[in-house]
Amino acid sequence: MSTPVWIHWAYLFAAVLFILGMKRLSSPAGARSGNLLAALGMLMALLATIPLLEGGHILNYGLMLLGIAVGTAVGALGAYRVPMTAMPQMVALFNGVGGGAAALIAAVEFLQRLETGIPVGMAIAIVFATVVGSIAFSGSLVAFGKLQGILTEQPVKYPLQKPINMSLLAVLGLIALYLLGVGIIPWLYAVLFLGALVFGVLMVLPIGGADMPVVISFLNAFTGLAVAADGFVISNQAMIIGGTLVGSSGTLLTLLMCRAMNRSLANVFFAGVGAVAGAKADIYAGRVKSATPEEVALILQDARRVVIVPGYGLAVSQAQHAVRDLANLLGSKGVEVEFAIHPVAGRMPGHMNVLLAEADIPYEKLKEMDEINPTFEQTDVVLVIGANDVVNPLARNTNDPSNPIAGMPILDVDKARTVIVIKRSLSPGFAGIPNPLFAADNALMLFGDGKQMVLDLIAALKRV
């Protein structure tokens, strides 16, 4: 049957809401309204799809409404119950669900059109959505497992890993070409589907947890492209536009994060950075200076400008609210306080921004790396909470080919007058190499849990 004109207009308006929502998400001031606009566009697209159900059978309508209700309930529950520190794994899980749904839509369309024949153009879209959506689904589940602690965050190595992965990818490509050339054969299509699921697992397993921001963004782009391909199959403009937006923005974000780490996408997926922890370095021997909260409080009390650097350790200890209270206390004493945000700190794009926003820390106090770096030489105290590789001066050593972070842009905290590092131990970061900052002449180590140490600092500051 022909699609009513009003449904085309509804899809177009939904697409406009998607674009406006993404535009407003680029600014913290408009992020909340942008999210609502995009959600409204999705609701409009869903409601406009209901009249298109074939046959108009009451069961079809019931299933559609049931799906909307269940999805809404699960999404709302996740939004209210999942803590902000667990947001990366929730994003990975939701992205995986989107990729899986795209792959299933392609499979259903394949089954429905099998008897009547599938045109080449449509077959290309079906195969593409199947492969890409399946990889996004299984890969996102592995990413979720790593972030949630179900799987090890360290790269998982197995014999002939790279040859196996590349061979499986080549086999999937050959199967896809054969299906497109000869015709879609059911059992071979099933092999393609299952092979893509296996490849998604094998692709993400060798990647370390600290590279999850790049992986999540990359798989998010995969999901968007699979959805766009499904849109071509079922002639749905909202899916084409929405999927293309997600695919293009995810791709750009992936490339920007790789640039922030001075690494290529191939290096992230195939280098296995962090697989082997570096040996105990002699640079620490006798040079690390440990401090107490009371000693650090005296230093902070006399400072005029303090910069706080949040890292993954802050997220793990859920110290964001305590950090806010510390910043407010220092501010009440006339100390200028700012936050330095590294582009890839944490476990998802914007992880630190999200955590600090949850604690109601004003966004104007959050400074990006390029903006804050020139000011460190005029900073009295830098307080590093749970960050490691993003403040490691070894990144400036580009002459050592074995250095996994060589050339990576870092926060130049070592140029400040005093650096206080809150960390549980001297264990290396994800890159597996020591950090000479911990043994620097102007650095003090405050060993302990991030949240507890910040609370102890607050208590000590109130006593001085």
Side-chain angles (χ1 to χ4, degrees):
M1 69 177 186
S2 61
T3 304
V5 175
W6 71 267
I7 292 181
H8 288 294
W9 280 105
Y11 283 155
L12 179 61
F13 191 62
V16 171
L17 290 176
F18 293 157
I19 296 172
L20 292 176
M22 290 188 68
K23 173 63 177 176
R24 294 194 63 76
L25 284 172
S26 62
S27 167
R32 185 184 298 272
S33 61
N35 196 35
L36 291 174
L37 284 174
L40 179 61
M42 181 58 69
L43 177 62
M44 180 175 295
L46 286 171
L47 295 178
T49 302
I50 293 178
L52 296 178
L53 296 176
E54 292 184 5
H57 194 280
I58 186 64
L59 178 61
N60 290 338
Y61 293 125
L63 289 174
M64 182 80 174
L65 293 174
L66 177 63
I68 293 175
V70 171
T72 301
V74 172
L77 183 65
Y80 281 103
R81 295 292 298 275
V82 175
M84 295 303 291
T85 49
M87 199 57 60
Q89 46 264 54
M90 190 178 82
V91 171
L93 187 60
F94 282 2
N95 180 65
V97 171
L104 288 176
I105 290 173
V108 169
E109 290 298 316
F110 157 71
L111 293 173
Q112 287 184 342
R113 301 171 187 270
L114 190 58
E115 293 183 359
T116 59
I118 305 175
V120 175
M122 188 171 293
I124 292 174
I126 289 176
V127 169
F128 180 85
T130 300
V131 173
V132 174
S134 298
I135 292 174
F137 172 71
S138 58
S140 295
L141 290 186
V142 174
F144 166 79
K146 283 176 173 282
L147 293 170
Q148 187 65 19
I150 300 173
L151 303 173
T152 176
E153 284 195 15
Q154 294 300 316
V156 177
K157 296 293 185 178
Y158 48 88
L160 300 176
Q161 169 198 312
K162 293 179 182 178
I164 289 175
N165 285 5
M166 296 306 294
S167 298
L168 179 56
L169 182 60
V171 169
L172 291 177
L174 291 174
I175 292 175
L177 290 174
Y178 184 82
L179 290 173
L180 295 175
V182 177
I184 297 193
I185 305 169
W187 71 266
L188 197 54
Y189 177 81
V191 171
L192 182 72
F193 201 122
L194 294 174
L197 290 173
V198 172
F199 180 76
V201 173
L202 297 181
M203 181 181 74
V204 180
L205 274 178
I207 302 173
D211 277 336
M212 282 303 114
V214 178
V215 174
I216 292 173
S217 179
F218 184 77
L219 293 176
N220 186 56
F222 264 35
T223 295
L225 295 174
V227 170
D230 281 337
F232 282 107
V233 174
I234 64 176
S235 300
N236 188 300
Q237 295 93 329
M239 290 179 67
I240 295 173
I241 297 174
T244 303
L245 286 173
V246 173
S248 58
S249 59
T251 301
L252 288 173
L253 183 57
T254 300
L255 296 176
L256 287 173
M257 286 190 293
C258 287
R259 182 184 301 173
M261 297 187 297
N262 195 37
R263 293 165 62 194
S264 66
L265 186 60
N267 181 267
V268 171
F269 277 88
F270 301 117
V273 175
V276 180
K280 294 290 184 180
D282 293 336
I283 61 172
Y284 295 151
R287 298 185 58 194
V288 175
K289 299 179 290 296
S290 179
T292 65
E294 289 73 20
E295 292 170 338
V296 173
L298 290 174
I299 297 173
L300 293 174
Q301 173 77 11
D302 295 332
R304 290 177 298 176
R305 184 171 190 269
V306 173
V307 174
I308 299 175
V309 179
Y312 184 59
L314 179 144
V316 172
S317 64
Q318 301 189 36
Q320 62 269 30
H321 292 92
V323 168
R324 174 204 59 200
D325 295 339
L326 175 63
N328 290 341
L329 179 59
L330 290 172
S332 68
K333 294 177 177 290
V335 180
E336 179 189 0
V337 180
E338 291 182 330
F339 294 80
I341 309 298
H342 193 279
V344 294
R347 289 298 186 271
M348 78 172 185
H351 194 182
M352 296 300 105
N353 303 66
V354 171
L355 286 178
L356 298 179
E358 185 205 13
D360 295 324
I361 294 175
Y363 188 78
E364 57 269 17
K365 289 186 176 293
L366 310 186
K367 304 299 182 181
E368 298 297 331
M369 179 175 60
D370 292 339
E371 181 182 2
I372 197 75
N373 266 350
T375 70
F376 278 119
E377 291 183 358
Q378 291 78 46
T379 300
D380 297 304
V381 180
V382 172
L383 184 62
V384 180
I385 307 176
N388 197 327
D389 294 332
V390 298
V391 295
N392 192 334
L394 285 180
R396 302 189 189 111
N397 181 10
T398 58
N399 297 322
D400 183 3
S402 65
N403 182 1
I405 63 171
M408 183 181 86
I410 62 168
L411 293 165
D412 297 328
V413 300
D414 56 320
K415 297 181 179 180
R417 293 185 179 90
T418 303
V419 182
I420 311 294
V421 181
I422 298 179
K423 203 171 182 294
R424 289 182 179 272
S425 68
L426 291 174
S427 60
F430 166 69
I433 58 176
N435 190 341
L437 173 69
F438 303 158
D441 293 337
N442 62 336
L444 293 173
M445 299 296 298
L446 190 57
F447 291 110
D449 174 76
K451 181 178 180 180
Q452 188 58 53
M453 288 300 99
V454 173
L455 291 175
D456 291 348
L457 279 178
I458 294 173
L461 271 171
K462 290 180 178 179
R463 293 194 295 267
V464 296

